[in-house]
Amino acid sequence: MSIKNIVCIGAGYVGGPTMSVVAQKCPHINVTIVDLNQARIDAWNSDSLPIYEPGLEAVVQEARGRNLTFSTDIEGNIAKADMVFVSVNTPTKTFGKGAGVAANLEFIEKCARTIRANASKDLIVVEKSTLPVRTAETLEKILHAGDSKYHFEILSNPEFLAEGTAITDLHDPDRVLIGGRQNDLGKAAIQELVDVYANWVPNERILTTNTWSSELSKLVANAFLAQRVSSINAISSLCESTEADVGEVSRAIGMDSRIGSKFLKASVGFGGSCFKKDILNLVYICRTYGLTAEADYWEQVILMNDHQQSRFVDKLVGTMFNTVSDKKIAVLGFAFKADTGDTRESPAIHVVQELCEEHARVSVSDPQALGYAKTDLAGLEEFVTLEEDPYKACEGADAVCILTEWELYKDLDYKRIFDSMNKPAFLFDGRNIVNHQELYDLGFNVYPIGKGELSHL
Ligand code: NAD
Ligand code: UDX
């Protein structure tokens, strides 16, 4: 069989960009992305895409109307498919057994039932969502339950793209991982998917494994990445106490090729929809297998991240004479990282909430994320205002907090900002992106992460 029709269920941050790139790179394959959410599909079909991602618009424009379609007709499109990707959300469970830790597989299960009910031939079903190890076993049981006429071969193909760099990550991935059963049918299905990626990914970067290694590797990759951020953040507080500079420490250890230089930027904490959710999931799985010490070990990565976010606010309040009540605090950046409008698990949410608990007046600015900020901060309107213009957000403020590393915050006119602020003027750089000495020279009292303060007080 050669794949002619691919359907992807789930038109979100992963399904949308991933499948748009497949369509771009494989003009001989029809790619249809389906979703329950009519508004999302309408946005994908419009000039105003539902997610902000550099380079995405050009990819969609190239392929849409040629071999890329967005639709809410899930059933009809499954009936035409040779291969179905499942890229629906797998959030942390909020109810019942495993609430707060386990993955909610409700949406995945529903997809399996829809696929079974609408398939018109044997199908390859690809897990694109991040899933607990051994989920393919469950999917297989559901897909083959009852009087199912067709054979469904399940592959695991986790996605490693990061938001903000999704298109470059997809065009030039470090690796593509494909897991499947190690028998003839499984290997044939793996080869079908390898052939799709081989249209643009060099063979040596397409890695094939058994299903369970592939499912688990995704959770482990995110756990390792998050662990590095928590590790350097744990060092950042020690730097603040000892006059070491965390930037210099990162550089010094990162030049050791065994350690490597990436993911060693100290910050106000990591955010995003994946790290916390996937580590919680890993922790839950470890506990399920009775691996308590292992679960505790990974849980610490999250506890350290929570601590880093609270520590940021504690430091701010402590520095500002132990009260921020009725003081104006400008928050520059609300997205969980630069170049995305996504705010899921953004450290800014946590910081703003804690500042509101202290009765500060918080003015939040972000070039892409204010839409989501409005929802995230619902109920806090008494304390929070949203302000697109960063200069206006800082006007009359007692302190400025930089919480997202947007390029634009590096080049603001900080003299103008300083002049418009209450004095003493404080600046807390939660991303270490501005020139601290220059800001100190302008008159700011500057508090970086993991580096001595520069204070006139
Ligand atoms: P998302 O919430 O942006 O998108 C999921 C989409 O699935 C939604 O539009 C929703 O309407 C749709 N959906 C849910 N159930 C459906 C159903 N039964 N039928 C049709 N559509 C349905 O989620 P996302 O960020 O794209 O993440 C998807 C998966 O990819 C998750 O498992 C996540 O862990 C994983 N992942 C995410 C990222 C990332 O950067 N966001 C990176 C790698 C992996
Ligand atoms: C992550 C993984 O990188 C990606 O492979 C996976 O597919 C999805 O989860 P994402 O969450 O989109 O991607 O962004 P990432 O670049 O990993 O950043 C996550 C968080 O860590 C952000 O809040 C970022 O600001 C923070 N971070 C990252 C740091 O604080 N310091 C660093 O050195 C790196």
Side-chain angles (χ1 to χ4, degrees), residues 14 130 159-165 169 175 218 221-222 225-226 228-229 232-233 261-275 278 305 335-338 340 342 345-347 403 405 430-431:
V14 168
T130 302
E159 185 48 60
F160 295 100
L161 66 79
E163 289 179 30
T165 53
D169 293 344
R175 80 312 207 176
K218 175 64 201 178
N222 274 350
L225 289 167
R228 281 173 73 93
V229 179
I232 200 68
N233 281 343
S261 61
K262 293 183 181 162
F263 266 71
L264 287 179
K265 281 200 204 90
S267 67
V268 59
F270 62 74
S273 64
C274 293
F275 281 179
D278 292 348
N305 195 51
F336 81 94
K337 63 185 280 195
T340 177
D342 195 353
E345 298 294 338
S346 178
L403 298 187
E405 71 282 21
R431 296 288 182 170

Side-chain angles (χ1 to χ4, degrees), residues 33 37-50 60 64-65 68-72:
I33 308 178
N37 184 332
Q38 182 73 54
R40 220 168 205 191
I41 290 298
D42 289 347
W44 280 110
N45 281 320
S46 76
D47 288 338
S48 169
L49 301 183
V60 171
R64 196 174 56 190
L68 174 65
T69 311
F70 296 92
S71 167
T72 49

Side-chain angles (χ1 to χ4, degrees), residues 113-165:
R113 288 167 206 278
T114 310
I115 294 169
R116 189 186 62 197
N118 294 285
S120 65
K121 56 172 105 113
D122 292 350
L123 276 186
I124 297 172
V125 176
V126 185
E127 299 173 340
K128 183 49 100 177
S129 298
T130 302
L131 297 167
V133 55
R134 297 205 77 86
T135 302
E137 202 172 28
T138 310
L139 289 184
E140 192 166 327
K141 284 181 187 155
I142 295 171
L143 285 164
H144 289 122
D147 56 355
S148 155
K149 280 187 280 186
Y150 304 111
H151 175 73
F152 300 97
E153 193 62 38
I154 297 157
L155 299 179
S156 160
N157 172 221
E159 185 48 60
F160 295 100
L161 66 79
E163 289 179 30
T165 53

